[in-house]
Amino acid sequence: MSWYRNTVWFVKGLREYTRGGYESASKRFNPADVEVDVAGRSFLVTGANSGIGKATAKEIARRGGTVHLVCRNKERAEVAKEELVTETGNQNIFLHIVDISNPKEIWKFAEKFQSEHKLNVLINNAGCMVNNRELTEDGLEKNFATNTLGTYIMTTALLPLLEKAADARVRQQVVLTEQWAKAHRNIHFSVMHPGWADTPAVRSSMPDFYERMKNSLRTEAQGADTVLWLAVSAEATKLPSGLFFQDRQPVPTHLPLAYTHSPPEDEEKLMEMLEEFSQKFKSVSPGI
């Protein structure tokens, strides 16, 4: 019967991730949680020229925050920045062109950023879903380089800046979030699932899924809701650091009967491996 239970959980989970799931969950939301003024606080959002990253950046800008958009494509990023400035009236929106799959670029960016800016909240939103095996110029598999190593380096490199900030926060992947939460008590780490939203990434990387589900997908703003809540709400930091969220509440990181748990030694080995990889791409001296 385990296959039946897993199927039930899958179907139930799929519903929760759709627009209907968001609309149901949002009935218990407190609008005041995100009706806050964040003027004077600095937010960095990766992958911010479209989709959930752009929707998150827009809502933060509307609340007066200083927003740093980290994007790969200069042309699309400049268009997105102009849209955000026009729609929000916030002039404190800055653009940085960085390829998150290129570890050398990330190190150089982070070194420069630390010398010029402050940072309160890091939102690691950039990611990719490459269906065919692709290698970066450094010989790294592209999904790993972007989704794991790139975001590891971005966070590691900016931790010293975040340690100086009041009420510092980071959003990251599950295992990394849990490990960093243990190691850095002054920073609030969290990770979230946006549900299935109608974004360019879903449309391009999962075309068959998109065609079947397009009428049920969440909007980009709905997908970004929990990111915004984690980034600006005082309620979010009342909960322990290192948790996984869906629709503004902590949820288990593993489905029942999924058998996806990893032993602590494997998670420690992952962190060691990522640190070793990251240091290989760090410049010996700034600017090299």
Side-chain angles (χ1 to χ4, degrees):
M1 294 295 291
S2 63
W3 66 269
Y4 174 76
R5 294 193 194 97
N6 279 331
T7 300
V8 170
W9 275 101
F10 174 77
V11 173
K12 178 176 180 288
L14 191 60
R15 290 197 197 104
E16 289 178 352
Y17 291 153
T18 62
R19 187 187 308 151
Y22 175 83
E23 291 170 350
S24 177
S26 66
K27 293 175 183 176
R28 58 173 169 75
F29 292 174
N30 181 358
D33 284 358
V34 293
E35 290 174 0
V36 294
D37 183 350
V38 292
R41 286 177 65 76
S42 177
F43 300 77
L44 188 155
V45 186
T46 66
N49 68 294
S50 65
I52 290 170
K54 182 181 176 184
T56 302
K58 182 188 296 183
E59 292 305 318
I60 291 170
R62 280 178 174 160
R63 289 158 176 78
T66 296
V67 185
H68 295 274
L69 312 175
V70 175
C71 308
R72 180 175 57 86
N73 185 288
K74 188 173 188 292
E75 184 178 336
R76 290 200 296 265
E78 288 176 342
V79 171
K81 177 189 171 181
E82 288 305 312
E83 286 181 12
L84 295 182
V85 171
T86 300
E87 291 181 24
T88 68
N90 189 336
Q91 299 295 319
N92 293 319
I93 300 176
F94 303 94
L95 182 58
H96 310 272
I97 305 303
V98 185
D99 184 349
I100 302 298
S101 72
N102 187 320
K104 297 187 191 77
E105 275 192 30
I106 303 170
W107 278 119
K108 288 180 182 179
F109 160 74
E111 286 179 358
K112 188 172 187 292
F113 189 89
Q114 287 189 77
S115 68
E116 298 176 350
H117 305 282
K118 72 170 189 174
L119 182 62
N120 298 96
V121 180
L122 169 60
I123 300 174
N124 287 306
N125 167 77
C128 67
M129 293 185 286
V130 179
N131 295 322
N132 298 315
R133 180 175 172 80
E134 291 184 26
L135 298 181
T136 68
E137 62 182 38
D138 297 304
L140 300 168
E141 193 279 320
K142 194 163 187 179
N143 287 300
F144 167 75
T146 305
N147 302 336
T148 306
L149 182 61
T151 45
Y152 175 87
I153 293 174
M154 181 68 78
T155 305
T156 298
L158 293 176
L159 280 173
L161 198 57
L162 288 161
E163 290 280 8
K164 299 175 186 177
D167 189 18
R169 311 185 192 190
V170 178
R171 184 204 154 214
Q172 184 45 274
Q173 296 182 16
V174 175
V175 172
L176 301 186
T177 294
E178 293 172 344
Q179 295 296 315
W180 272 321
K182 295 174 187 176
H184 301 276
R185 302 292 184 178
N186 294 331
I187 302 172
H188 194 271
F189 290 85
S190 52
V191 63
M192 58 78 69
H193 194 302
W196 293 111
D198 189 348
T199 65
V202 170
R203 292 195 291 271
S204 62
S205 300
M206 307 172 69
D208 293 340
F209 173 83
Y210 175 75
E211 283 302 316
R212 290 196 303 270
M213 299 293 296
K214 61 184 178 182
N215 294 326
S216 301
L217 296 178
R218 298 181 178 200
T219 65
E220 292 174 346
Q222 290 172 343
D225 177 81
T226 297
V227 186
L228 178 70
W229 183 80
L230 289 169
V232 307
S233 170
E235 294 302 308
T237 52
K238 292 179 181 178
L239 295 163
S241 181
L243 297 182
F244 176 46
F245 290 82
Q246 179 184 334
D247 291 330
R248 301 193 190 184
Q249 68 178 5
V251 294
T253 55
H254 302 273
L255 291 174
L257 305 176
Y259 305 108
T260 55
H261 293 266
S262 54
E265 55 268 26
D266 284 359
E267 295 181 358
E268 291 170 8
K269 183 64 177 176
L270 171 65
M271 300 300 285
E272 291 171 5
M273 182 196 72
L274 290 173
E275 180 61 19
E276 183 180 333
F277 260 116
S278 70
Q279 291 301 320
K280 288 180 180 178
F281 297 101
K282 189 174 184 180
S283 299
V284 175
S285 59
I288 294 179

